[in-house]
Each structure stands twice: as structure tokens, then as C-alpha cells.
Amino acid sequence: MDSLPALWGDFLVFTGVIFGILRKVPDVVWAGVFASFLTLSGVKLSNRHHSRNLMLQLRHEKDEKAAQRLSDLRRDIYLHAIEQFVHASSYLSSLPATDLNKAESAQPLQSFFAAAAKLQMVSENKTSALVSDLIGTFSVLHLRLIGAAQPMQQLLSEIDFYTTLCEGALAEQQRALAASAQFVESGDRELDDTRRKALEHTLDTQTKLLRDHTETRQALHVERNALHGEFIKNLMVELQAINTKLQPIMVAIRRELRVDNQIDAYASAVSEQQDRVTHAVAELMAQLDAPRSR
């Protein structure tokens, strides 16, 4: 306990000595120390501000590069998807004449589905939902059109069959005509009459077969043309509905790609074009329904 006051006294003596020394330091020195302190603080604050700005700039450049990479990726995928949409539409139109038994027959539609799936992966949620709806519409329409194309394909097979029969009958008819033209009497009346009657019978038979096969083939053509006309009418209506669904997708794609700043003007132009297509489809339907003049 006695040592505490002693220590406290020593501390006070030491503090007094220190203050005494500090009082002897000139004011100029203190001004220099204070100025150095302010300078050091200013440099530290400036470096901290510069570092913060540099980090913000680097983060901004990183975001800009990521956005540019996404934009480039979207541009390639979107343009490819639009190209595949055109191919898929053409494929649907050619279904009546397409051999559906071949594995590669549905390749255009499969390519469109693959391109649309990629588009959904990189597009915004709203655009992805629109594309999903378009894919579903295409799938349903494809199945419906395949069902409508099957009778026409069956008729095509029958037409090909009767075409082969017509070609065979025509070849036999021409052979009989050529033999009749080259017929030379042998001097044996009975033998000559037998040969002549055989040639005449062959000619009459093949002529009748050619006429019957031609009439049957013609009737099949008429039936197929009627089915094809109904197919085209239904296809035009369905494609018009698909184009209506494609319109907001095109607008959304241009917005995401930042193609231009006049999205509203583009949407208005697309809507006007859709109206013209609707009018053209209506005229085509009227022409298909109108009776043909002979």
C-alpha cells in the first residue's frame, strides 16, 4: 500500500518532465507536425475514395461485359430461332406431299423446337412464356395436320399405283399397234386371221384398261385436290393464329436485343402487317370456296 503513492508520485514527476520537454518544442515544429498529419489524412482519404471508385468502375465494366456477352449470345440464338420458324412453317405447308415414313421428314420442325428451347434458356421470363406457348401451338397443329395429311398421302399412293398400271397398259397398247403396223400376210388366211384377231383383242383390251385406269386415277386426283383445298384453308387459319402469337415475341426479342428505341413504332408496323395478312388470307379463303368456272 505504501508503494502506490510512491508510484503515483513518480508518474506525476515523469509526466511533468514530458510536458516540460514538449513546452520547449518550437511552434513551427508543432505546425509542421500538424500539417503533416493533415496531409497524411488527406492522402489516406483520397486513396480510399480512389479505391472505391476503381472498384465501382471494375464492377461496372464486368457487368457491361457480361451484358454484352449475353446480348451477343441472344442475337445468335434469336436470329437462328426466327430462321427455323420460317422453315417450320414451310414444312407444315408441305405435309401433304411429304413422306412421313422417313425419319428425316420432321427435321425442320425438330430444328425449330431445338432453337426455341435455346431461346427460352437465354430470354427473359415474359419472352420465355410466349415462346413456350408458341411451341405448344406448333406441336398441336403438327399433330392435327398430320392427321389431315394421311388421307392425301394414301390417295397419292393409289395415284402412283394407277399411274404404273396406265404406263403398263400404254406400253402394251403401243406394242400391239406396232405389231399391227408391221403385220405381213404369210399366205395362210386362217393363220393370218388368228394373228390379226389376237392383235385386235390385245389392242382393245389394253385400250380399255388404259381408259379405266386413267379415269380411276383422275377421280383420285379430284378427291385429293378437294382434300388439299380443305387442308390449305385450315392451314391458313392456323398459321394466321401462329403469326398472331409470334407478333409479341418479335417485339420482345427486339426489346431484349436493343435493336432500336422505337419499339412502339415497330409493334404498330407489325400489327398493321398482320392486318394485311389477315385480309389476304380472307381473300384466299374466298377464292378456295368459290366454284370453279369450266
Side-chain angles (χ1 to χ4, degrees), residues 47-63:
N47 288 339
R48 181 182 300 174
H49 180 70
H50 179 71
S51 298
R52 186 182 300 111
N53 290 339
L54 181 60
M55 291 299 296
L56 290 175
Q57 181 180 356
L58 292 176
R59 188 178 298 111
H60 176 72
E61 291 178 355
K62 180 181 178 181
D63 293 341

Side-chain angles (χ1 to χ4, degrees), residues 3-226:
S3 63
L4 265 174
L7 290 174
W8 179 249
D10 292 341
F11 175 75
L12 292 177
V13 172
F14 177 76
T15 304
V17 172
I18 294 298
F19 275 108
I21 295 174
L22 292 176
R23 289 194 195 97
K24 294 180 181 181
V25 176
D27 294 338
V28 176
V29 175
W30 286 115
V33 172
F34 185 68
S36 299
F37 174 75
L38 292 178
T39 302
L40 181 61
S41 300
V43 171
K44 186 175 181 180
L45 290 175
S46 177
N47 288 339
R48 181 182 300 174
H49 180 70
H50 179 71
S51 298
R52 186 182 300 111
N53 290 339
L54 181 60
M55 291 299 296
L56 290 175
Q57 181 180 356
L58 292 176
R59 188 178 298 111
H60 176 72
E61 291 178 355
K62 180 181 178 181
D63 293 341
E64 285 291 326
K65 289 182 179 179
Q68 184 61 42
R69 287 196 298 269
L70 179 59
S71 178
D72 294 340
L73 179 62
R74 281 177 171 175
R75 181 179 293 106
D76 294 339
I77 291 178
Y78 289 178
L79 294 180
H80 179 66
I82 296 301
E83 179 182 355
Q84 292 304 317
F85 167 76
V86 176
H87 293 332
S89 300
S90 301
Y91 161 75
L92 294 179
S93 303
S94 65
L95 274 178
T98 301
D99 188 357
L100 300 177
N101 294 321
K102 294 183 178 179
E104 66 276 9
S105 61
Q107 183 61 41
L109 199 60
Q110 294 173 358
S111 299
F112 166 71
F113 286 153
K118 292 180 181 178
L119 190 152
Q120 287 184 286
M121 293 294 294
V122 299
S123 62
E124 297 179 359
N125 292 335
K126 183 178 179 180
T127 306
S128 178
L130 293 172
V131 174
S132 178
D133 183 42
L134 182 64
I135 292 175
T137 303
F138 251 105
S139 300
V140 173
L141 176 59
H142 181 224
L143 295 176
R144 190 180 303 160
L145 292 180
I146 285 180
Q150 285 289 353
M152 285 182 283
Q153 295 224 333
Q154 179 63 33
L155 288 173
L156 278 178
S157 299
E158 295 181 19
I159 289 173
D160 290 340
F161 173 73
Y162 279 99
T163 297
T164 302
L165 294 180
C166 287
E167 291 174 352
L170 180 61
E172 288 297 317
Q173 183 189 54
Q174 291 175 345
R175 184 189 65 80
L177 287 173
S180 297
Q182 296 177 359
F183 180 80
V184 178
E185 295 183 356
S186 61
D188 188 340
R189 183 180 297 277
E190 183 177 353
L191 180 61
D192 292 340
D193 289 341
T194 302
R195 290 179 178 177
R196 184 180 295 105
K197 289 178 180 179
L199 289 174
E200 290 176 352
H201 176 72
T202 300
L203 181 60
D204 292 341
T205 301
Q206 297 304 322
T207 300
K208 183 179 183 302
L209 288 175
L210 179 60
R211 181 176 62 254
D212 293 342
H213 295 333
T214 301
E215 290 176 353
T216 302
R217 184 177 61 176
Q218 182 63 28
L220 292 173
H221 272 296
V222 172
E223 184 179 356
R224 182 185 178 277
N225 289 338

